[in-house]
Coordinates of all heavy atoms in Angstrom, one line a residue:
M833 N 4.3 -9.5 4.0 CA 5.8 -9.5 4.0 C 6.2 -10.9 4.6 O 5.5 -11.4 5.4 CB 6.3 -8.3 4.8 CG 6.7 -8.5 6.1 SD 7.1 -6.9 6.9 CE 5.8 -5.9 6.6
M834 N 7.3 -11.4 4.2 CA 7.9 -12.6 4.8 C 9.3 -12.3 5.4 O 10.0 -11.5 4.9 CB 8.1 -13.6 3.7 CG 6.8 -14.1 3.0 SD 5.8 -15.0 4.2 CE 6.9 -16.4 4.5
L835 N 9.6 -13.1 6.5 CA 10.8 -12.9 7.1 C 11.8 -14.0 6.8 O 11.3 -15.2 6.6 CB 10.5 -12.9 8.7 CG 9.6 -11.8 9.2 CD1 9.4 -12.1 10.7 CD2 10.1 -10.5 8.9
K836 N 13.1 -13.7 6.8 CA 14.1 -14.8 6.7 C 14.4 -15.4 8.0 O 14.1 -14.8 9.0 CB 15.4 -14.1 6.2 CG 15.4 -13.3 5.0 CD 16.8 -12.7 4.7 CE 16.7 -11.4 4.1 NZ 18.0 -10.8 3.9
G837 N 14.9 -16.6 8.0 CA 15.3 -17.2 9.2 C 14.8 -18.7 9.3 O 13.8 -19.0 8.7
K838 N 15.4 -19.4 10.2 CA 14.9 -20.8 10.4 C 13.7 -20.7 11.3 O 13.4 -19.8 12.0 CB 16.1 -21.5 11.2 CG 17.3 -21.7 10.3 CD 18.4 -22.5 11.1 CE 19.6 -22.6 10.3 NZ 20.7 -23.2 10.8
A839 N 13.0 -21.8 11.3 CA 11.7 -21.9 12.1 C 11.9 -21.6 13.5 O 11.0 -21.0 14.1 CB 11.1 -23.3 11.8
T840 N 13.0 -22.1 14.1 CA 13.2 -21.9 15.5 C 13.5 -20.4 15.9 O 13.3 -20.0 17.0 CB 14.4 -22.7 16.1 OG1 15.5 -22.4 15.2 CG2 14.1 -24.1 15.9
S841 N 13.9 -19.6 14.9 CA 14.2 -18.3 15.2 C 13.2 -17.3 14.7 O 13.3 -16.1 14.8 CB 15.6 -17.9 14.7 OG 15.6 -18.0 13.3
V842 N 12.2 -17.8 14.1 CA 11.2 -16.9 13.5 C 10.5 -16.0 14.5 O 10.2 -14.9 14.3 CB 10.1 -17.8 12.6 CG1 8.9 -16.9 12.2 CG2 10.7 -18.3 11.4
A843 N 10.2 -16.6 15.7 CA 9.5 -15.8 16.7 C 10.4 -14.7 17.1 O 9.9 -13.5 17.4 CB 9.1 -16.7 17.9
C844 N 11.7 -14.8 17.3 CA 12.6 -13.7 17.7 C 12.7 -12.7 16.6 O 12.5 -11.5 16.8 CB 14.0 -14.3 17.9 SG 15.1 -13.0 18.4
W845 N 12.8 -13.1 15.3 CA 12.8 -12.2 14.1 C 11.5 -11.4 14.1 O 11.5 -10.2 13.9 CB 13.1 -12.9 12.9 CG 14.4 -13.3 12.6 CD1 15.0 -14.5 12.6 CD2 15.5 -12.4 12.2 NE1 16.3 -14.5 12.3 CE2 16.7 -13.2 12.1 CE3 15.6 -11.1 12.0 CZ2 17.9 -12.6 11.8 CZ3 16.8 -10.5 11.7 CH2 17.9 -11.3 11.6
C846 N 10.4 -12.1 14.3 CA 9.1 -11.5 14.3 C 8.9 -10.5 15.3 O 8.5 -9.4 15.0 CB 8.0 -12.5 14.3 SG 6.4 -12.0 13.9
M847 N 9.3 -10.7 16.5 CA 9.2 -9.7 17.6 C 10.1 -8.5 17.3 O 9.7 -7.4 17.5 CB 9.6 -10.3 19.0 CG 8.6 -11.3 19.5 SD 6.9 -10.6 19.5 CE 7.1 -9.3 20.6
C848 N 11.3 -8.7 16.9 CA 12.2 -7.6 16.6 C 11.7 -6.8 15.3 O 11.7 -5.5 15.4 CB 13.6 -8.1 16.1 SG 14.5 -8.9 17.5
T849 N 11.1 -7.4 14.4 CA 10.6 -6.8 13.2 C 9.3 -6.0 13.6 O 9.1 -4.9 13.2 CB 10.3 -7.7 12.1 OG1 11.5 -8.4 11.8 CG2 9.8 -7.0 10.8
L850 N 8.4 -6.6 14.4 CA 7.2 -6.0 14.9 C 7.5 -4.7 15.6 O 6.9 -3.6 15.4 CB 6.4 -6.9 15.7 CG 5.6 -8.0 15.0 CD1 5.1 -9.0 16.0 CD2 4.6 -7.5 14.1
T851 N 8.5 -4.8 16.5 CA 9.0 -3.6 17.2 C 9.5 -2.5 16.3 O 9.1 -1.3 16.4 CB 10.1 -3.9 18.2 OG1 9.6 -4.9 19.1 CG2 10.6 -2.7 19.0
T852 N 10.3 -2.8 15.3 CA 10.8 -1.9 14.3 C 9.7 -1.2 13.5 O 9.6 0.0 13.3 CB 11.8 -2.6 13.4 OG1 12.9 -3.1 14.2 CG2 12.4 -1.5 12.5
L853 N 8.7 -2.1 13.0 CA 7.6 -1.6 12.3 C 6.8 -0.6 13.1 O 6.3 0.4 12.6 CB 6.7 -2.8 11.8 CG 7.2 -3.6 10.7 CD1 6.4 -4.8 10.5 CD2 7.3 -2.8 9.4
A854 N 6.5 -1.0 14.3 CA 5.7 -0.1 15.2 C 6.3 1.2 15.4 O 5.6 2.2 15.7 CB 5.4 -0.8 16.5
E855 N 7.5 1.4 15.3 CA 8.2 2.7 15.5 C 8.2 3.5 14.2 O 8.5 4.7 14.3 CB 9.7 2.4 15.8 CG 9.8 1.8 17.2 CD 11.3 1.3 17.6 OE1 12.2 1.4 16.6 OE2 11.5 0.9 18.7
L856 N 7.8 3.0 13.0 CA 7.8 3.8 11.9 C 6.5 4.6 11.8 O 5.4 4.0 12.0 CB 7.8 2.9 10.7 CG 9.0 2.1 10.3 CD1 8.8 1.1 9.1 CD2 10.2 3.1 10.0
P857 N 6.6 5.9 11.6 CA 5.4 6.7 11.6 C 4.5 6.4 10.4 O 4.9 6.0 9.3 CB 5.9 8.2 11.4 CG 7.4 8.2 11.6 CD 7.8 6.7 11.4
G858 N 3.1 6.3 10.7 CA 2.2 6.0 9.6 C 1.9 4.5 9.5 O 1.1 4.2 8.6
T859 N 2.5 3.7 10.3 CA 2.3 2.2 10.2 C 1.3 1.7 11.3 O 1.4 2.3 12.4 CB 3.6 1.4 10.3 OG1 4.2 1.6 11.5 CG2 4.6 1.7 9.2
E860 N 0.6 0.8 11.0 CA -0.3 0.1 12.0 C -0.2 -1.4 11.7 O -0.5 -1.8 10.5 CB -1.8 0.6 11.8 CG -2.7 -0.1 12.8 CD -4.1 0.5 12.7 OE1 -4.3 1.5 12.1 OE2 -5.0 -0.2 13.2
I861 N 0.1 -2.2 12.7 CA 0.3 -3.6 12.4 C -1.2 -4.3 12.8 O -1.7 -4.0 13.8 CB 1.3 -4.2 13.4 CG1 2.7 -3.6 13.1 CG2 1.3 -5.8 13.3 CD1 3.7 -3.9 14.1
H862 N -1.7 -5.0 11.8 CA -3.0 -5.6 12.0 C -2.9 -7.1 12.5 O -3.8 -7.5 13.2 CB -3.8 -5.5 10.7 CG -4.1 -4.1 10.4 ND1 -5.1 -3.3 10.9 CD2 -3.4 -3.3 9.5 CE1 -5.1 -2.1 10.4 NE2 -4.1 -2.0 9.6
Q863 N -2.0 -7.8 11.9 CA -1.9 -9.3 12.2 C -0.5 -9.8 12.0 O 0.2 -9.2 11.1 CB -2.9 -10.0 11.3 CG -3.0 -11.5 11.6 CD -4.4 -11.8 12.0 OE1 -5.3 -11.1 11.7 NE2 -4.5 -13.0 12.6
S864 N -0.2 -10.7 12.8 CA 1.2 -11.4 12.5 C 0.9 -12.9 12.7 O 0.1 -13.3 13.5 CB 2.3 -11.0 13.4 OG 1.9 -11.3 14.7
A865 N 1.5 -13.8 11.9 CA 1.4 -15.2 12.0 C 2.7 -15.9 12.5 O 3.7 -15.2 12.4 CB 1.2 -15.7 10.5
P866 N 2.6 -17.1 13.1 CA 3.7 -17.7 13.7 C 4.9 -18.0 12.6 O 6.0 -18.0 13.0 CB 3.1 -19.0 14.2 CG 1.7 -18.8 14.3 CD 1.3 -17.8 13.3
D867 N 4.5 -18.0 11.4 CA 5.5 -18.3 10.4 C 6.3 -17.0 9.9 O 7.1 -17.0 9.0 CB 5.0 -19.0 9.1 CG 3.9 -18.2 8.4 OD1 3.6 -17.1 8.8 OD2 3.4 -18.8 7.4
G868 N 5.9 -15.8 10.5 CA 6.6 -14.5 10.1 C 5.9 -13.6 9.3 O 6.3 -12.5 9.1
R869 N 4.7 -14.0 8.7 CA 4.0 -13.2 7.8 C 3.3 -12.0 8.8 O 2.8 -12.3 9.8 CB 2.8 -13.8 7.1 CG 3.5 -14.7 6.1 CD 2.4 -15.6 5.4 NE 1.9 -16.5 6.4 CZ 0.6 -16.9 6.4 NH1 -0.3 -16.4 5.5 NH2 0.2 -17.7 7.4
I870 N 3.3 -10.8 8.3 CA 2.8 -9.6 9.0 C 1.9 -8.7 8.1 O 2.3 -8.5 7.0 CB 3.9 -8.8 9.6 CG1 4.8 -9.6 10.5 CG2 3.4 -7.5 10.4 CD1 6.1 -8.9 10.8
V871 N 0.8 -8.4 8.5 CA -0.1 -7.5 7.8 C 0.0 -6.1 8.4 O -0.2 -5.9 9.6 CB -1.6 -8.0 7.8 CG1 -2.5 -7.0 7.1 CG2 -1.7 -9.4 7.2
V872 N 0.3 -5.2 7.6 CA 0.6 -3.7 8.0 C -0.1 -2.8 7.1 O -0.1 -2.9 5.9 CB 2.2 -3.4 8.0 CG1 2.4 -2.0 8.5 CG2 2.9 -4.4 8.8
T873 N -0.7 -1.7 7.7 CA -1.2 -0.7 7.0 C -0.2 0.5 7.0 O 0.3 0.8 8.1 CB -2.6 -0.2 7.5 OG1 -3.5 -1.2 7.4 CG2 -3.1 1.1 6.8
V874 N 0.0 1.1 5.9 CA 0.9 2.3 5.9 C 0.2 3.5 5.3 O -0.4 3.4 4.2 CB 2.2 2.0 5.0 CG1 3.1 3.1 5.0 CG2 2.9 0.7 5.5
E875 N 0.3 4.6 6.0 CA -0.4 5.8 5.5 C 0.6 6.9 5.3 O 1.6 6.9 6.0 CB -1.4 6.3 6.5 CG -2.6 5.2 6.7 CD -3.7 5.7 7.6 OE1 -3.5 6.8 8.3 OE2 -4.7 5.1 7.7
D876 N 0.3 7.9 4.5 CA 1.1 9.1 4.3 C 1.1 9.8 5.7 O 0.1 9.9 6.3 CB 0.5 10.0 3.3 CG 0.6 9.5 1.9 OD1 1.4 8.6 1.6 OD2 0.0 10.1 1.1
V877 N 2.2 10.4 6.1 CA 2.3 11.3 7.2 C 3.0 12.5 6.8 O 3.6 12.5 5.7 CB 3.1 10.6 8.4 CG1 2.3 9.4 8.9 CG2 4.5 10.2 8.0
P878 N 2.8 13.6 7.5 CA 3.5 14.9 7.1 C 5.0 14.7 6.9 O 5.7 14.1 7.8 CB 3.3 15.8 8.3 CG 1.9 15.3 8.8 CD 2.0 13.8 8.7
G879 N 5.4 14.9 5.7 CA 6.8 14.8 5.4 C 7.3 13.5 4.8 O 8.4 13.3 4.4
K880 N 6.4 12.6 4.7 CA 6.7 11.2 4.2 C 5.6 10.5 3.6 O 4.5 10.3 4.1 CB 7.3 10.3 5.3 CG 8.0 9.1 4.8 CD 8.8 8.5 5.8 CE 9.8 7.6 5.3 NZ 10.7 7.0 6.3
W881 N 5.8 10.1 2.3 CA 4.7 9.3 1.6 C 4.8 7.9 2.0 O 5.8 7.4 2.5 CB 4.9 9.4 0.1 CG 4.6 10.7 -0.5 CD1 3.5 11.5 -0.1 CD2 5.1 11.3 -1.6 NE1 3.5 12.6 -1.0 CE2 4.5 12.6 -1.9 CE3 6.2 11.0 -2.5 CZ2 4.8 13.4 -3.0 CZ3 6.5 11.8 -3.6 CH2 5.8 13.0 -3.8
A882 N 3.6 7.2 1.9 CA 3.5 5.9 2.3 C 4.5 5.0 1.5 O 5.1 4.1 2.0 CB 2.1 5.4 2.1
G883 N 4.7 5.4 0.2 CA 5.6 4.5 -0.6 C 7.1 4.6 -0.1 O 7.8 3.6 -0.2
N884 N 7.5 5.7 0.5 CA 8.8 5.8 1.0 C 9.0 5.0 2.3 O 9.9 4.3 2.6 CB 9.1 7.2 1.4 CG 9.3 8.1 0.2 OD1 9.0 7.6 -0.9 ND2 9.6 9.4 0.4
T885 N 7.8 4.8 3.1 CA 7.8 4.0 4.2 C 7.9 2.5 3.8 O 8.5 1.7 4.5 CB 6.6 4.3 5.1 OG1 6.5 5.6 5.5 CG2 6.5 3.4 6.3
L886 N 7.2 2.1 2.7 CA 7.3 0.8 2.2 C 8.7 0.5 1.8 O 9.1 -0.7 2.1 CB 6.4 0.6 1.1 CG 6.2 -0.8 0.5 CD1 5.7 -1.8 1.5 CD2 5.4 -0.8 -0.8
T887 N 9.4 1.4 1.3 CA 10.8 1.1 1.0 C 11.6 0.9 2.3 O 12.5 0.0 2.3 CB 11.4 2.4 0.2 OG1 10.7 2.5 -1.0 CG2 12.8 2.2 0.0
D888 N 11.3 1.8 3.3 CA 12.0 1.5 4.6 C 11.7 0.2 5.1 O 12.6 -0.5 5.7 CB 11.5 2.6 5.6 CG 12.0 4.0 5.2 OD1 12.9 4.2 4.4 OD2 11.4 5.0 5.8
I889 N 10.5 -0.3 5.0 CA 10.1 -1.7 5.5 C 10.9 -2.7 4.8 O 11.4 -3.6 5.4 CB 8.6 -1.9 5.4 CG1 7.8 -1.0 6.3 CG2 8.3 -3.4 5.6 CD1 6.3 -1.0 6.1
N890 N 11.1 -2.6 3.5 CA 11.9 -3.5 2.7 C 13.3 -3.6 3.2 O 14.0 -4.5 3.0 CB 11.8 -3.2 1.3 CG 10.7 -4.0 0.6 OD1 10.6 -5.2 0.7 ND2 9.8 -3.2 0.0
N891 N 13.8 -2.4 3.8 CA 15.2 -2.3 4.2 C 15.4 -2.8 5.7 O 16.6 -2.8 6.2 CB 15.7 -0.9 4.0 CG 15.8 -0.5 2.6 OD1 16.1 -1.4 1.7 ND2 15.5 0.7 2.3
I892 N 14.4 -3.2 6.3 CA 14.5 -3.6 7.7 C 15.2 -5.0 7.7 O 14.8 -5.9 7.0 CB 13.1 -3.7 8.4 CG1 12.5 -2.4 8.6 CG2 13.3 -4.4 9.8 CD1 11.2 -2.3 9.1
E893 N 16.2 -5.2 8.6 CA 16.9 -6.5 8.6 C 15.9 -7.5 9.0 O 15.1 -7.4 9.9 CB 18.0 -6.5 9.7 CG 18.7 -7.7 9.8 CD 19.9 -7.6 10.7 OE1 20.2 -6.5 11.3 OE2 20.5 -8.7 11.1
G894 N 15.9 -8.6 8.3 CA 15.0 -9.8 8.5 C 13.8 -9.8 7.6 O 13.1 -10.8 7.5
V895 N 13.5 -8.7 6.9 CA 12.3 -8.7 6.0 C 12.8 -9.2 4.6 O 13.7 -8.7 4.1 CB 11.8 -7.2 5.8 CG1 10.8 -7.2 4.8 CG2 11.3 -6.7 7.2
L896 N 12.1 -10.2 4.2 CA 12.4 -10.8 3.0 C 11.7 -10.0 1.8 O 12.3 -9.7 0.8 CB 11.9 -12.2 2.9 CG 12.2 -13.1 1.6 CD1 13.7 -13.1 1.3 CD2 11.6 -14.5 1.8
S897 N 10.4 -9.6 2.0 CA 9.8 -8.8 1.0 C 8.6 -8.1 1.7 O 8.0 -8.6 2.7 CB 9.3 -9.7 -0.2 OG 8.3 -10.5 0.2
A898 N 8.3 -7.0 1.1 CA 7.0 -6.2 1.5 C 6.5 -5.6 0.2 O 7.2 -5.2 -0.7 CB 7.4 -5.1 2.4
A899 N 5.2 -5.8 0.1 CA 4.6 -5.4 -1.2 C 3.3 -4.7 -1.0 O 2.5 -4.9 0.1 CB 4.2 -6.7 -2.0
L900 N 3.0 -3.7 -1.8 CA 1.8 -2.9 -1.9 C 0.7 -3.8 -2.4 O 0.8 -4.3 -3.5 CB 2.0 -1.7 -2.7 CG 0.7 -0.8 -2.8 CD1 0.4 -0.2 -1.5 CD2 1.0 0.3 -3.8
V901 N -0.3 -4.1 -1.6 CA -1.4 -5.0 -2.0 C -2.6 -4.1 -2.4 O -3.3 -4.5 -3.3 CB -1.8 -5.9 -0.9 CG1 -3.0 -6.8 -1.3 CG2 -0.7 -6.8 -0.5
Y902 N -2.9 -3.0 -1.8 CA -4.1 -2.2 -2.1 C -3.6 -0.7 -1.9 O -2.9 -0.4 -0.9 CB -5.2 -2.5 -1.1 CG -6.4 -1.6 -1.4 CD1 -7.2 -1.8 -2.4 CD2 -6.6 -0.6 -0.5 CE1 -8.4 -1.0 -2.6 CE2 -7.7 0.1 -0.6 CZ -8.6 0.0 -1.6 OH -9.7 0.8 -1.8
H903 N -4.1 0.2 -2.7 CA -3.8 1.6 -2.5 C -5.1 2.5 -2.6 O -5.9 2.2 -3.5 CB -2.8 2.1 -3.6 CG -2.4 3.5 -3.5 ND1 -3.1 4.5 -4.2 CD2 -1.5 4.2 -2.8 CE1 -2.6 5.7 -3.9 NE2 -1.6 5.5 -3.1
H904 N -5.3 3.3 -1.8 CA -6.5 4.3 -1.8 C -6.0 5.7 -1.4 O -5.2 5.9 -0.5 CB -7.4 3.8 -0.8 CG -8.7 4.7 -0.6 ND1 -9.6 4.9 -1.5 CD2 -8.9 5.7 0.3 CE1 -10.5 5.8 -1.1 NE2 -10.0 6.3 0.0
R905 N -6.5 6.6 -2.2 CA -6.1 8.0 -1.9 C -7.4 8.9 -1.9 O -8.1 8.8 -3.0 CB -5.1 8.5 -2.9 CG -4.8 9.9 -2.6 CD -3.5 10.4 -3.4 NE -3.2 11.7 -3.0 CZ -2.5 12.5 -3.7 NH1 -2.0 12.1 -4.9 NH2 -2.3 13.7 -3.3
E906 N -7.6 9.7 -1.0 CA -8.6 10.6 -1.0 C -8.2 12.0 -1.3 O -7.1 12.5 -0.7 CB -9.3 10.7 0.4 CG -10.1 9.3 0.7 CD -10.7 9.3 2.1 OE1 -10.9 10.5 2.7 OE2 -11.1 8.2 2.6
I907 N -8.8 12.6 -2.1 CA -8.5 14.1 -2.5 C -9.2 15.0 -1.5 O -10.4 14.9 -1.2 CB -9.0 14.4 -3.9 CG1 -8.4 13.5 -4.9 CG2 -8.7 15.9 -4.2 CD1 -6.8 13.6 -5.0
D908 N -8.5 15.8 -0.8 CA -9.0 16.6 0.2 C -9.9 17.8 -0.2 O -10.8 18.2 0.6 CB -7.9 17.3 1.0 CG -7.1 16.2 1.9 OD1 -7.6 15.2 2.1 OD2 -5.9 16.5 2.2
S909 N -9.8 18.2 -1.4 CA -10.6 19.3 -1.9 C -11.5 19.0 -3.0 O -11.3 17.9 -3.7 CB -9.7 20.6 -2.3 OG -9.0 20.2 -3.4
D910 N -12.6 19.7 -3.2 CA -13.6 19.4 -4.3 C -13.0 19.6 -5.7 O -13.4 19.0 -6.5 CB -14.8 20.3 -4.0 CG -15.5 20.0 -2.9 OD1 -15.4 18.9 -2.3 OD2 -16.3 21.0 -2.3
D911 N -12.0 20.4 -5.8 CA -11.4 20.7 -7.1 C -10.2 19.7 -7.5 O -9.7 19.9 -8.5 CB -11.0 22.2 -7.3 CG -9.9 22.5 -6.3 OD1 -9.5 21.7 -5.6 OD2 -9.5 23.7 -6.4
G912 N -9.9 18.8 -6.6 CA -8.9 17.9 -6.8 C -7.5 18.4 -6.7 O -6.5 17.8 -7.0
A913 N -7.3 19.5 -6.0 CA -6.0 20.2 -5.7 C -5.3 19.3 -4.8 O -5.8 18.5 -4.1 CB -6.3 21.6 -5.1
R914 N -3.9 19.5 -4.9 CA -3.0 18.8 -3.9 C -3.3 19.1 -2.5 O -3.7 20.2 -2.2 CB -1.6 19.0 -4.3 CG -1.2 18.6 -5.7 CD 0.1 19.0 -5.9 NE 1.1 18.3 -5.1 CZ 2.3 18.3 -5.3 NH1 2.9 19.0 -6.3 NH2 3.1 17.7 -4.5
S915 N -3.2 18.1 -1.6 CA -3.4 18.3 -0.2 C -2.2 19.0 0.5 O -1.2 19.1 -0.1 CB -3.8 17.0 0.5 OG -2.6 16.2 0.6
D916 N -2.4 19.5 1.8 CA -1.3 20.0 2.4 C -0.2 19.0 2.6 O 1.0 19.3 2.6 CB -1.8 20.5 3.8 CG -2.6 21.8 3.8 OD1 -2.6 22.3 2.7 OD2 -3.4 22.0 4.6
A917 N -0.5 17.7 2.9 CA 0.5 16.6 3.0 C 1.3 16.4 1.8 O 2.5 16.3 1.9 CB -0.3 15.3 3.4
D918 N 0.7 16.6 0.6 CA 1.5 16.5 -0.6 C 2.4 17.6 -0.7 O 3.6 17.4 -1.1 CB 0.5 16.6 -1.8 CG -0.3 15.4 -2.0 OD1 0.1 14.3 -1.6 OD2 -1.4 15.5 -2.8
E919 N 2.0 18.8 -0.2 CA 3.0 20.0 -0.3 C 4.1 19.8 0.7 O 5.2 20.2 0.3 CB 2.1 21.3 0.0 CG 1.1 21.7 -1.0 CD 1.8 21.9 -2.3 OE1 2.9 22.4 -2.5 OE2 1.1 21.5 -3.4
E920 N 3.8 19.2 1.9 CA 4.8 19.1 2.9 C 5.9 18.0 2.4 O 7.1 18.3 2.6 CB 4.2 18.6 4.2 CG 3.4 19.7 4.9 CD 2.7 19.2 6.1 OE1 3.3 18.1 6.7 OE2 1.8 19.7 6.6
V921 N 5.5 17.0 1.7 CA 6.4 16.0 1.3 C 7.2 16.5 0.1 O 8.4 16.2 0.0 CB 5.6 14.7 0.9 CG1 6.6 13.7 0.2 CG2 4.9 14.1 2.1
S922 N 6.6 17.3 -0.8 CA 7.3 17.7 -1.9 C 8.3 18.8 -1.7 O 9.2 19.1 -2.6 CB 6.3 18.2 -3.0 OG 5.6 19.3 -2.6
Q923 N 8.3 19.4 -0.6 CA 9.2 20.5 -0.3 C 10.6 20.0 0.2 O 10.8 19.0 0.7 CB 8.6 21.5 0.8 CG 7.5 22.2 0.2 CD 6.8 23.1 1.3 OE1 7.3 23.2 2.5 NE2 5.7 23.7 1.0

């Protein structure tokens, strides 16, 4: 993801954005660069799919863009049935 703003204010935007990201359930911040780039892992949590959280990230003030780079999903049961997390989100 990339942040908007002048070079002198990138550090401030980055800290505010990092704080906001850290408060989102299912997110984990792995790395941030001085120019405002941030690497974040987003996971499904009860009641919210990771895709919805990615949309929330795009709506954070100062975020220029956030994109899905890799997606992995494990099926919880041997027969491929929906997991409990899927059921909680769909209700």
Side-chain angles (χ1 to χ4, degrees):
M833 97 183 55
M834 292 293 297
L835 303 178
K836 304 178 212 177
K838 298 180 181 180
T840 56
S841 64
V842 169
C844 178
W845 280 108
C846 191
M847 289 307 298
C848 292
T849 303
L850 287 171
T851 300
T852 303
L853 285 170
E855 294 171 351
L856 293 174
T859 61
E860 182 178 344
I861 300 168
H862 295 278
Q863 184 120 18
S864 62
D867 64 0
R869 293 174 293 146
I870 303 170
V871 177
V872 180
T873 298
V874 179
E875 296 183 353
D876 291 340
V877 294
K880 191 164 195 175
W881 285 329
N884 294 3
T885 302
L886 183 60
T887 299
D888 292 345
I889 291 171
N890 271 303
N891 292 329
I892 294 173
E893 184 177 351
V895 173
L896 182 60
S897 68
L900 178 65
V901 176
Y902 176 78
H903 181 266
H904 173 77
R905 180 168 183 201
E906 294 180 14
I907 302 297
D908 291 337
S909 64
D910 293 334
D911 62 0
R914 296 175 65 169
S915 71
D916 291 340
D918 290 336
E919 294 300 322
E920 290 176 24
V921 171
S922 64
Q923 294 178 1

